[in-house]
Amino acid sequence: MTPRAPRSPVPLEICHLAKAIEAIGDRWTLLILRSSLFGVRRFDDYQKELGVPRTVLSGRLSKLVKAGVMAKQSYKEEGKRARPEYVLTEAGEALRPVLMALTQWGDDWLSKGATPPISFTHAKSRQRVRPGFVDEDGKETTLSEMRISLRR
Amino acid sequence: MTPRAPRSPVPLEICHLAKAIEAIGDRWTLLILRSSLFGVRRFDDYQKELGVPRTVLSGRLSKLVKAGVMAKQSYKEEGKRARPEYVLTEAGEALRPVLMALTQWGDDWLSKGATPPISFTHAKSRQRVRPGFVDEDGKETTLSEMRISLRR
DNA sequence: CAGTATCCGGTCTGATACTG
DNA sequence: CAGTATCAGACCGGATACTG
């Protein structure tokens, strides 16, 4: 276990985790990202699904666009006029594993015995897959095999 | 890419990701968890490191204890009197991979070319490790090989 | 140290209405 | 549909003070 420390080895101001928390670490933003990872793209669809106040939604989407996590685009369905949509950028899509890991944490620790409503398996082998860490060859590295290095 | 959908396939009320966001998805809570994963345990140490208002810190720690993510204990150093400390439970410790994944997301997308202040490598091979998904044999499964199943 | 209490100005939340 | 406007109330941020 981690020994007691009066403070973290990485100062807050240069910590990339702290920056990530600053960018997406609030309730509505995380819920918006959840919806968009499920394919929701339109303003009113977010609003209806989450029940988020429209003003707040507007602000959060702008912030996500400015942060480069989402992009505002136009799409056009046949015979209908163009409408805006908010889609994940590559950076946003890269959050999928993070939120999947958080989903499984919820499965494991927040739901007393309930069968998860969504589960992740390997398409062919049907084995359950879980979040972990892999090296460049795709082999798992456990926390105890891992070395955490601080830049001086 | 995920097709456009008017709403998520999993209703919010039963979504374990939504529950996880409810439990730990706010700025201060995430920052507290960051510190505690680095070994911070005492009230004033959190307060000094994060600059969080004492009232807010008090509330967040209580909430985390109630949620089973942290525990309030006593510890005693030699020759000093006992003091409280807030430590991660097993559930809290299980968040380490989630926040490590978020850290790497920050490395990859939030910091224009800056060398990460903290990095994760395999202790022996010295290869960089990244977050991913593994099956029961510890072999990586990519997102495209993965099957996402919904419970009916 | 480890909190709780208080105060104040600001932002966020939530509800509803209005517009292109 | 996709927003902006408005408004009351809650919560937050920051400061400071007080207690065991």
Side-chain angles (χ1 to χ4, degrees):
Chain A
M1 223 216 153
T2 315
R4 175 177 39 248
R7 44 164 105 182
S8 303
V10 178
L12 262 191
E13 312 80 48
I14 64 162
C15 177
H16 292 180
L17 173 54
K19 284 184 192 171
I21 292 171
E22 223 58 57
I24 63 156
D26 74 272
R27 196 173 101 94
W28 288 124
T29 300
L30 288 167
L31 289 171
I32 290 166
L33 289 171
R34 168 194 174 277
S35 291
S36 65
L37 285 168
F38 277 132
V40 175
R41 299 188 190 175
R42 310 216 289 233
F43 190 93
D44 272 30
D45 288 339
Y46 289 113
Q47 201 281 320
K48 281 194 201 102
E49 170 154 294
L50 302 177
V52 49
R54 309 179 74 80
T55 42
V56 174
L57 176 58
S58 176
R60 292 295 197 281
L61 287 173
S62 306
K63 197 180 148 194
L64 283 167
V65 169
K66 195 167 1 175
V69 177
M70 300 190 77
K72 183 178 184 174
Q73 299 181 344
S74 269
Y75 77 92
K76 192 177 170 333
E77 283 181 73
E78 288 208 5
K80 299 189 175 172
R81 62 189 170 83
R83 299 194 178 286
E85 63 178 3
Y86 293 88
V87 297
L88 294 167
T89 61
E90 199 184 342
E93 189 59 40
L95 282 167
R96 189 180 294 274
V98 178
L99 294 199
M100 285 173 66
L102 189 54
T103 302
Q104 294 212 359
W105 181 80
D107 291 345
D108 293 340
W109 297 102
L110 251 36
S111 45
K112 312 120 185 29
T115 308
I118 190 167
S119 62
F120 311 105
T121 52
H122 187 103
K124 287 188 183 142
S125 73
R126 291 301 170 92
Q127 283 187 29
R128 182 178 194 241
V129 296
R130 57 185 164 74
F133 287 84
V134 295
D135 62 20
E136 279 146 28
D137 305 325
K139 227 179 90 278
E140 184 178 16
T141 298
T142 63
L143 280 177
S144 55
E145 295 168 338
M146 207 176 293
R147 181 197 176 82
I148 298 180
S149 319
L150 298 175
R151 219 167 68 88
R152 298 169 305 106
Chain B
M1 223 214 151
T2 315
R4 175 175 39 249
R7 45 165 106 179
S8 304
V10 179
L12 263 191
E13 313 80 48
I14 64 162
C15 177
H16 292 181
L17 174 54
K19 284 184 191 171
I21 291 171
E22 223 59 56
I24 63 157
D26 75 272
R27 197 174 102 92
W28 288 124
T29 300
L30 288 167
L31 288 172
I32 290 166
L33 289 171
R34 168 194 175 276
S35 291
S36 64
L37 285 168
F38 277 132
V40 175
R41 300 189 189 175
R42 310 216 289 232
F43 190 92
D44 272 29
D45 289 339
Y46 289 113
Q47 200 281 318
K48 282 193 198 103
E49 171 154 295
L50 301 176
V52 49
R54 309 178 74 79
T55 42
V56 175
L57 176 58
S58 176
R60 292 296 197 282
L61 287 173
S62 306
K63 196 179 148 195
L64 284 167
V65 168
K66 196 167 3 176
V69 178
M70 299 191 78
K72 184 177 184 175
Q73 300 181 344
S74 269
Y75 78 93
K76 191 178 169 334
E77 283 182 74
E78 288 208 7
K80 299 188 176 171
R81 64 188 171 82
R83 299 195 176 286
E85 64 177 3
Y86 293 88
V87 296
L88 295 167
T89 61
E90 199 184 343
E93 190 59 40
L95 282 167
R96 189 180 294 274
V98 178
L99 293 198
M100 284 172 65
L102 188 55
T103 302
Q104 293 213 359
W105 181 80
D107 292 344
D108 293 340
W109 297 102
L110 250 37
S111 46
K112 314 120 187 20
T115 307
I118 190 167
S119 62
F120 310 105
T121 52
H122 187 103
K124 289 190 181 139
S125 73
R126 291 299 171 92
Q127 283 188 28
R128 182 181 192 238
V129 297
R130 57 184 164 75
F133 289 84
V134 295
D135 62 20
E136 279 147 28
D137 306 324
K139 226 178 92 280
E140 183 177 16
T141 297
T142 63
L143 282 176
S144 55
E145 295 168 337
M146 205 176 295
R147 181 198 177 81
I148 298 179
S149 319
L150 298 175
R151 219 167 69 87
R152 296 169 306 107

